[in-house]
Amino acid sequence: RKPAATGEIVHTSREFMADEAKREILCIGFDISQRIAYSKKAWEFGKKINQIIDSVTDGFYSLDNNWCFTLVNKSFLDIVNMSRQQLIGKSIWEVFPDDKNYKYPRLYRRAKKEGVAEKFEDYRSDLHKWHWVAAYPTDDGLIVFFKDITERKIERAELVESRNKLSAILNSTSEAHILIAPDYSILSFNETAKQNTIELYGIDLKQGLSILEFTMPNTVDQFVSDFKKALAGKVVRVEIPITFPKGQKRWFRIEFSPALAKDGGIIGVVFNSMDIDELKQYECGLEKSNEQLRAIAHQQSHEMRSPIAQVLGLMNLLKNSPGDVEIMEHIERVAHQLDTIVHEIIEKAEEA
């Protein structure tokens, strides 16, 4: 390399050839500045590519047509806990098991053979990890992106288990439960709610439908009013009679309560309904029994007061007649006590 007249650095390459007959040395020079510049740009470009690849949070590696690693990024090295020296130039089947119990050997080969991308989830028992994998075939081999989804799989499994438990609890209760979005669309429901809807409307309750489609026409306004109160954070409880298609009337206890997210925000309304018809019938029967007892007590008390009044009247007459005054006074005291008892019976009957 040497400076040119313009001040730029010129890179040259020389070849020397000896001519023994003439005892001369021939020197041929080549300007390789452009080639050097291209090489430098290629090196800088490759460095940038490596930096970009290393900045990708997903794992990345490329394989050549012989299944050897040609490029890996830092995320991939962190996931598998290996170094570049352990991987570059080695066959993937030397490093990771070519085992039919895993999906990736079969799907990698199919992607390369058929020229189609393959996306899948695979569990590596040797690493105790779940991976999401996307493999893309190229003319030079295979490019693979993947990420560790172990935590997500564990969370999903726990969520499914929680949902199954909650579903089992909700479906074992006689109460109907429906989760409703602010726009009145149905988000979820239990088996009792589904059966009640079929019995009332003859159609299945389905997610995504409006709950207003399953509300009695004459109760829509009240339903909307109570629903909005629940969206505002209030709990609304009412007891209403519902008439079924066959004319049967049953009482239900309805509750609207706000559905809260983890951060405390209201994400919808929980609608609960419980059949309280038997309780209502019991209350009605109890009220009828109380009325009958009040009537009997009133009637008996009046029937008892009539002879008492007669006794008291006779006592007044006897007081003015000669006789055993002490006996007369004793009879009078007993009569007054009996009259007091009758008054107490009347008062208690009226209070009941």
Side-chain angles (χ1 to χ4, degrees):
R1 47 182 294 184
K2 64 178 182 177
T6 59
E8 296 179 356
I9 300 297
V10 176
H11 295 266
T12 60
S13 174
R14 294 181 175 87
E15 293 183 7
F16 296 90
M17 295 179 290
D19 187 342
E20 295 181 1
K22 295 181 179 181
R23 291 188 174 184
E24 294 177 347
I25 297 177
L26 180 63
C27 177
I28 301 175
F30 300 94
D31 185 349
I32 60 170
S33 299
Q34 192 173 22
R35 189 175 71 186
I36 293 295
Y38 287 156
S39 297
K40 184 178 179 181
K41 289 181 179 179
W43 180 84
E44 291 176 349
F45 181 75
K47 184 178 179 181
K48 288 182 179 179
I49 291 295
N50 286 332
Q51 289 175 344
I52 293 171
I53 291 174
D54 276 341
S55 68
V56 175
T57 56
D58 291 348
F60 167 85
Y61 60 87
S62 62
L63 304 171
D64 62 19
N65 288 317
N66 294 318
W67 301 101
C68 294
F69 288 100
T70 57
L71 190 63
V72 296
N73 75 341
K74 186 177 182 301
S75 295
F76 171 68
L77 297 175
D78 291 340
I79 292 172
V80 298
N81 194 28
M82 300 179 75
S83 67
R84 281 187 170 85
Q85 291 73 19
Q86 291 175 289
L87 296 172
I88 299 299
K90 291 186 178 180
S91 170
I92 187 175
W93 313 126
E94 295 178 19
V95 181
F96 300 118
D98 186 4
D99 191 331
K100 65 180 181 180
N101 292 319
Y102 299 130
K103 295 180 182 178
Y104 70 90
R106 173 175 55 85
L107 295 179
Y108 281 6
R109 289 187 172 96
R110 187 168 76 178
K112 185 60 181 170
K113 180 180 179 180
E114 299 181 6
V116 294
E118 294 286 355
K119 298 178 181 180
F120 57 94
E121 294 179 358
D122 208 359
Y123 179 69
R124 289 287 304 276
S125 59
D126 54 330
L127 301 175
H128 305 291
K129 291 182 178 181
W130 277 95
H131 294 141
W132 174 86
V133 184
Y136 301 93
T138 68
D139 293 338
D140 298 323
L142 201 66
I143 292 176
V144 179
F145 291 90
F146 77 103
K147 65 177 64 179
D148 186 341
I149 59 170
T150 305
E151 290 187 8
R152 190 175 75 187
K153 293 290 285 188
I154 292 174
E155 291 174 355
R156 185 185 301 173
E158 291 175 349
L159 179 61
V160 170
E161 183 179 2
S162 298
R163 284 179 176 175
N164 289 340
K165 288 180 179 178
L166 180 60
S167 178
I169 293 171
L170 292 178
N171 286 330
S172 64
T173 180
S174 59
E175 295 185 29
H177 302 278
I178 306 175
L179 177 60
I180 310 168
D183 63 354
Y184 300 102
S185 61
I186 299 168
L187 299 177
S188 64
F189 51 87
N190 69 342
E191 187 64 25
T192 302
K194 179 180 179 181
Q195 294 303 321
N196 286 353
T197 304
I198 293 175
E199 189 174 355
L200 271 171
Y201 304 99
I203 54 177
D204 282 335
L205 200 62
K206 293 182 179 179
Q207 293 181 355
L209 295 179
S210 172
I211 190 64
L212 298 181
E213 296 180 26
F214 303 90
T215 306
M216 294 292 185
N218 60 333
T219 64
V220 170
D221 291 342
Q222 187 61 47
F223 183 97
V224 171
S225 174
D226 294 337
F227 185 89
K228 289 181 177 179
K229 290 177 183 177
L231 274 182
K234 297 180 180 180
V235 176
V236 181
R237 297 184 180 92
V238 294
E239 293 182 359
I240 59 172
I242 295 178
T243 303
F244 284 70
K246 295 182 180 180
Q248 178 190 16
K249 180 186 290 186
R250 298 187 69 84
W251 279 88
F252 285 83
R253 179 178 292 129
I254 306 298
E255 179 179 298
F256 298 80
S257 57
L260 305 178
K262 288 184 178 180
D263 60 1
I266 298 176
I267 59 173
V269 171
V270 178
F271 174 84
N272 299 325
S273 69
M274 181 173 66
D275 188 334
I276 58 170
D277 196 68
E278 291 186 3
L279 177 61
K280 279 291 184 180
Q281 290 182 12
Y282 174 78
E283 290 177 351
C284 290
L286 188 62
E287 179 60 28
K288 288 181 180 179
S289 297
N290 288 336
E291 290 179 359
Q292 291 174 350
L293 287 174
R294 286 194 292 268
I296 292 172
H298 186 74
Q299 180 181 0
Q300 292 298 322
S301 64
H302 281 284
E303 290 177 355
M304 290 178 67
R305 288 195 69 193
S306 178
I308 290 173
Q310 293 178 15
V311 170
L312 290 174
L314 290 173
M315 290 303 303
N316 288 327
L317 293 175
L318 290 173
K319 281 183 180 179
N320 299 322
S321 302
D324 193 333
V325 176
E326 185 177 349
I327 293 175
M328 294 299 106
E329 289 177 348
H330 178 71
I331 294 173
E332 184 179 14
R333 285 197 300 273
V334 172
H336 279 295
Q337 290 175 355
L338 185 58
D339 187 53
T340 300
I341 292 171
V342 170
H343 275 289
E344 290 178 353
I345 292 174
I346 293 173
E347 289 176 359
K348 289 181 179 179
E350 290 175 349
E351 290 176 359

